């Protein structure tokens, strides 16, 4: 058993990381932004004792020294998984809303570990395809861990997408710079997923507060997208349970030290998602776009993105779930939320 600090415990991906950590016998302390959010995590795990699952409040990771107290624990932490970072495309002030929490949060937790948690030997940071993707590359370019988004600091205010991609790129770069310059007593691994889909198991006040990557599925099953299928955008995806397992394996396996992991199951399109929902949930058919309304969700074969996910398979031993399983389980989880399960 390893004692692990997990940041952003209330999030979509973190909820799965937390369950995977518990399933694999680890002891977890999750950071959350409020007492209430922490209590909800404990309530969702009624049979797990405090010695295996607890929380600590870190209100705002953008603040200096936000993690100063959170990294100290008895028994002490051996690993840290840092998922907390804002993920949305509605920022009007990218510097304050996205870059400050992403950058200060990443740099802050690494400094706090080095200063106050010498028992930590491994750190895993959730980065993103956003830190690898280059808008100037041709569609069939094959992405791998060797790629970096070349975005410049003065481009982050161009639009909210650039703001988010900049936040992930600069935060991940800062993490690797820290390792190089500070030479701490821990290793780093980053997980770089594209769009993450799958069952929502974190608490949501309502479907309005669903995480960004599952918005398209919510909009499809509620009829919001009936007149026009959402555009697919960058067409690589991965299931949240595979992403969660990758984070945990990256913390467990010595071979994962000081590596980036590009986590993707391959290409998808929103039109394919509509097809899966229509097949598996006939009662939702009248909510879904059809005919001409489906066209915006298409990704023509020539626009599918090249990818090399071999490192995640070889080093972590990861296998990837198919799109059908991910979409079906996502829809079931959202139907459960709509029913108030
Ligand atoms: P969520 O929005 O569900 O989770 C984000 C988490 O970060 C939440 O727990 C949130 O807390 C916390 N957070 C955000 N800003 C702050 C802040 N200023 N102070 C403290 N906590 C903060 O999104 P995901 O689970 O999807 O994202 C988790 C990570 O995965 C992020 O780093 C994201 O960039 C990355 N990622 C996600 C992808 C996806 O498709 N989902 C793809 C690639 C990377 P609260 O809920 O209380 O606001």
């Amino acid at each position: 058993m390893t004692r692990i600090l997990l940041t952003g415990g209330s999030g979509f991906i973190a909820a799965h990381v937390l369950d995977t950590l518990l399933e694999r016998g680890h002891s977890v302390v999750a950071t959350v932004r409020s007492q209430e959010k922490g209590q909800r995590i404990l309530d969702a795990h009624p049979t797990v004792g405090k010695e295996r699952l607890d929380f600590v409040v870190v209100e705002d990771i953008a603040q200096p020294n936000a993690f100063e107290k959170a990294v100290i624990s008895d028994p002490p932490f051996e690993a840290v998984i840092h998922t907390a970072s804002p993920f949305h495309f509605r920022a009007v002030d990218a510097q304050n809303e996205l870059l400050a929490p992403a950058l200060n949060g990443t740099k802050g937790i690494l400094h706090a570990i080095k200063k106050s948690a010498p028992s930590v030997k491994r750190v895993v940071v959730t980065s993103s395809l956003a830190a690898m993707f280059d808008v100037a590359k041709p569609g069939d370019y094959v992405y791998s861990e060797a790629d970096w988004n070349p975005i410049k600091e003065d481009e982050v205010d161009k639009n909210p997408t650039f703001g988010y991609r900049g936040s992930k790129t600069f935060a991940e770069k800062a993490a690797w710079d820290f390792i190089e310059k500070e030479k701490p007593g821990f290793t780093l691994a980053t997980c770089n997923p594209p769009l993450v889909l799958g069952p929502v198991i974190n608490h949501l006040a309502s479907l309005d507060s669903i995480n960004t990557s599952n918005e398209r599925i919510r909009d499809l099953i509620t009829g919001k997208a009936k007149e026009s299928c959402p555009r697919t955008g960058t067409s690589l995806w991965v299931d949240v349970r595979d992403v969660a397992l990758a984070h945990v394996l990256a913390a467990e396996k010595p071979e994962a030290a000081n590596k980036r992991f590009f986590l993707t199951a391959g290409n998808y399109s929103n039109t394919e998602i509509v097809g899966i929902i229509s097949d598996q949930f006939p009662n939702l058919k009248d909510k879904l776009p059809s005919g001409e309304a489906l066209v915006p969700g298409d990704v023509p074969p020539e626009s599918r993105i090249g990818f090399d996910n071999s490192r995640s398979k070889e080093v972590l031993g990861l296998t990837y779930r198919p799109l059908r399983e991910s979409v079906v389980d996502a829809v079931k989880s959202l139907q459960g939320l709509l029913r108030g399960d």
Side-chain angles (χ1 to χ4, degrees):
M1 183 176 81
T2 302
R3 187 151 169 90
I4 298 188
L5 180 68
L6 169 67
T7 72
S10 57
F12 165 58
I13 294 176
H16 286 271
V17 174
L18 192 151
D19 280 1
T20 308
L21 285 167
L22 292 176
E23 276 159 32
R24 293 174 74 87
H26 300 296
S27 145
V28 189
V29 177
T31 75
V32 283
R33 301 176 87 167
S34 68
Q35 205 61 33
E36 193 195 0
K37 288 185 179 183
Q39 191 55 48
R40 281 213 197 92
I41 294 177
L42 300 188
D43 293 347
H45 299 85
T47 58
V48 183
K50 271 239 165 189
E51 71 294 347
R52 292 214 43 229
L53 176 60
D54 208 348
F55 70 88
V56 56
V57 174
V58 175
E59 271 175 27
D60 183 6
I61 56 175
Q63 298 310 312
N65 308 324
F67 289 110
E68 199 90 321
K69 291 201 181 107
V71 297
I72 298 167
S73 150
D74 181 18
F77 294 118
E78 292 150 276
V80 173
I81 299 181
H82 178 51
T83 78
S85 204
F87 175 24
H88 58 78
F89 299 116
R90 54 174 189 274
V92 285
D93 174 356
Q95 291 292 347
N96 277 317
E97 293 173 56
L98 299 172
L99 275 87
L103 261 172
N104 298 353
T106 303
K107 290 197 276 195
I109 197 158
L110 298 177
H111 278 287
I113 299 165
K114 186 177 179 209
K115 182 175 160 208
S116 310
S119 51
V120 170
K121 296 296 168 221
R122 302 213 179 119
V123 176
V124 180
V125 170
T126 316
S127 186
S128 172
L129 171 65
M132 300 163 59
F133 195 71
D134 180 353
V135 281
K137 289 242 161 51
D140 59 353
Y141 178 81
V142 178
Y143 282 91
S144 75
E145 289 84 357
D147 292 295
W148 277 97
N149 185 335
I151 190 167
K152 304 271 181 308
E153 275 177 39
D154 60 4
E155 291 178 298
V156 297
D157 295 316
K158 260 190 180 169
N159 61 48
T161 303
F162 273 57
Y164 174 67
R165 288 181 178 166
S167 77
K168 298 306 288 182
T169 307
F170 303 137
E172 192 192 334
K173 279 196 172 147
W176 290 116
D177 282 352
F178 180 93
I179 298 295
E180 202 182 307
K181 291 191 188 125
E182 300 281 334
K183 305 200 174 0
F186 55 82
T187 61
L188 174 70
T190 65
C191 289
N192 296 58
L195 183 92
V196 184
L197 298 174
V200 175
I201 59 168
N202 51 315
H203 174 82
L204 297 183
S206 76
L207 286 189
D208 290 341
S209 54
I210 197 164
N211 71 292
T212 300
S213 56
N214 280 311
E215 282 173 354
R216 64 193 67 209
I217 294 189
R218 175 202 60 194
D219 292 350
L220 290 170
I221 67 167
T222 55
K224 197 175 166 194
K226 188 169 170 57
E227 300 308 321
S228 179
C229 188
R231 277 189 59 253
T232 302
T234 311
S235 60
L236 292 172
W237 80 284
V238 64
D239 185 275
V240 66
R241 292 158 291 191
D242 300 334
V243 172
L245 181 59
H247 279 75
V248 177
L249 290 169
E252 287 176 355
K253 285 184 176 265
E255 314 87 272
N258 298 323
K259 290 190 174 70
R260 300 175 96 192
F261 291 98
F262 179 27
L263 308 172
T264 183
N267 282 272
Y268 80 102
S269 74
N270 282 345
T271 302
E272 280 173 80
I273 292 182
V274 171
I276 292 169
I277 300 174
S278 168
D279 274 1
Q280 301 281 325
F281 302 92
N283 58 329
L284 291 175
K285 256 189 175 154
D286 66 327
K287 306 268 188 212
L288 298 170
S290 59
E292 280 296 297
L294 263 181
V295 174
D298 283 342
V299 176
E302 66 278 10
S303 302
R304 300 207 149 210
I305 300 171
F307 65 93
D308 175 358
N309 61 4
S310 54
R311 180 183 285 175
S312 66
K313 293 177 176 169
E314 284 159 17
V315 179
L316 301 179
L318 214 61
T319 55
Y320 288 102
R321 283 174 171 79
L323 185 65
R324 180 168 292 268
E325 182 180 342
S326 195
V327 171
V328 167
D329 292 346
V331 173
K332 284 183 183 161
S333 72
L334 298 189
Q335 287 182 318
L337 284 167
L338 281 168
R339 284 195 306 267
D341 293 0

